[in-house]
Structure formats: structure tokens, C-alpha cells
Amino acid sequence: PNFSPSLLHALKETHDRTPTPEEVFHYLYAVLYSPTYRAKYAQFLKTDFPRVPFTEDQKLFTKITHIGKRLVDLHLLKSPELDRPIARFQEHGNNKVEKQRYDEKAKRVYINKAQYFEGVQPEVWEYQIWGYQVLDKWLKDRKDRSLNLEDIRHYCRVVTALAKTIEIQSEIDILYPQVEKDILVFHPEG
């Protein structure tokens, strides 16, 4: 692990134990997915390595760590929450990605004139990571290819992961103001 010894020492002193590297990573991951944090530190996120506030509250640290683990598992597509996808692939055809388009009213992502994924909410369709609209980009990268069964399953799992990410971001944003109330102060080595 590449964490500052002073951070680990401060966490141990405050929380009466040294968190595992995975716990620190999960905490960081959750905080970095907070819309409030992202808005507040948008400029730093673009230009520098932003500082991440660590809470002194052990229960809050643990709660955020669990949320971060849940996010990591979703983003690695390893979460059991993905076993029942919210999207479904419909209609018979050649499964070829010709021209994707989103029908907001029907909540469908068409890959060609007849075939589509249904159950895709507008906020899920519009979700972006690093400036890319995730679901649209995934299909663009497969233009003029026929999707196989594994591709279709994967896309449905990604739709579900994004929907759950949006839900979890709301949970994080409820907790995030508490993080900034009692910030753990430590002095990183220079």
C-alpha cells in the first residue's frame, strides 16, 4: 500500500485500530463518488491530486467504507446485486449494432431499427465517467458488430451497475456533510 504512514498513524490513533489498505481504498472510493465532494473540489479534481477528508467518527468511517466496497464490487461487475439486471434485450434479429439511439419515453436503447435494451432510465443513459456517456460509448465501440449472448448480459449488468451507482451516490451525499464536520487532522510527510 502506498499510504502515508502519518495517515495510517492518525487513523489508528483516532479509530483505535489501523484500517486495512482495502478499507482505506473503499473509503476513498466512496468519498470520490460523492456528488457534493465532486462539485466542491471540481477544480482540484481537474488539475491536481485533491485532498480527501477523513472523518474522525469511527461509525461513519465504517459506514462509508462499506458503501465504497459496494461501489467497487458493482464497478468490477462482481456484485450479487447484478444477478438480476434491470435491463432486458428485446426482439429477434442479427444483434448487430448499427446505429444506437435512446428513446426516453419508452426507456429503450436501440442498437438497430428493431432490437433494443429496455428498462434504461434517462439518468442511467446519460451517466458519464470522464466525460464519456458510458452506455452510448460501449455501443459505439461495438458498431458494426453483432452482440453475442455474453455481450448482451454484460451490457445489462452495466446498466444495472450504473443505476445502483446513482442510488449509492445519493446515500453518500446524505453522509458526506458529516465527514466534513469532524475531519481527522494529520500532517503528511513533506
Side-chain angles (χ1 to χ4, degrees):
N2 189 19
F3 297 121
S4 161
S6 61
L7 168 65
L8 296 176
H9 178 74
L11 288 170
K12 181 180 181 181
E13 292 294 311
T14 304
H15 300 287
D16 294 327
R17 70 176 191 83
T18 303
T20 66
E22 292 80 11
E23 289 171 324
V24 174
F25 174 74
H26 293 146
Y27 177 88
L28 291 168
Y29 202 83
V31 169
L32 291 171
Y33 264 87
S34 163
T36 301
Y37 174 87
R38 287 179 176 201
K40 185 173 183 175
Y41 298 104
Q43 194 58 39
F44 291 111
L45 289 167
K46 289 178 187 175
T47 61
D48 201 1
F49 294 106
R51 294 195 180 252
V52 175
F54 280 84
T55 181
E56 289 185 339
D57 183 329
Q58 172 62 40
K59 287 182 183 178
L60 182 59
F61 179 85
T62 300
K63 189 181 278 190
I64 291 174
T65 298
H66 288 299
I67 291 171
K69 178 166 182 10
R70 189 173 162 211
L71 271 175
V72 168
D73 289 346
L74 283 168
H75 296 169
L76 292 175
L77 301 178
K78 293 182 176 183
S79 172
E81 294 182 66
L82 302 174
D83 293 344
R84 302 186 90 184
I86 61 173
R88 301 267 186 266
F89 190 64
Q90 300 295 340
E91 300 301 326
H92 295 288
N94 62 9
N95 300 352
K96 190 171 185 178
V97 180
E98 294 169 357
K99 183 172 188 210
Q100 69 273 14
R101 70 176 175 85
Y102 182 68
D103 181 336
E104 186 172 342
K105 187 174 181 182
K107 297 175 179 57
R108 293 177 177 170
V109 178
Y110 283 85
I111 66 165
N112 54 42
K113 289 182 182 180
Q115 294 181 289
Y116 57 87
F117 291 92
E118 68 179 1
V120 181
Q121 297 296 323
E123 62 272 13
V124 175
W125 171 250
E126 294 166 5
Y127 196 87
Q128 293 187 13
I129 296 177
W130 293 106
Y132 291 102
Q133 194 174 336
V134 177
L135 297 177
D136 187 51
K137 172 107 171 76
W138 193 93
L139 290 171
K140 281 180 181 173
D141 289 347
R142 286 149 185 85
K143 187 163 174 61
D144 297 324
R145 276 187 34 204
S146 289
L147 301 179
N148 62 35
L149 184 58
E150 189 53 39
D151 292 331
I152 292 166
R153 284 184 182 146
H154 182 86
Y155 194 81
C156 290
R157 290 171 64 87
V158 170
V159 169
T160 306
L162 292 175
K164 293 196 177 289
T165 296
I166 292 167
E167 291 172 16
I168 292 169
Q169 284 183 288
S170 295
E171 291 176 37
I172 296 168
D173 253 16
I174 291 169
L175 298 172
Y176 185 75
Q178 296 171 38
V179 168
E180 291 203 350
K181 275 187 182 177
D182 297 310
I183 295 177
L184 174 65
V185 178
F186 71 98
H187 302 286
E189 288 94 12

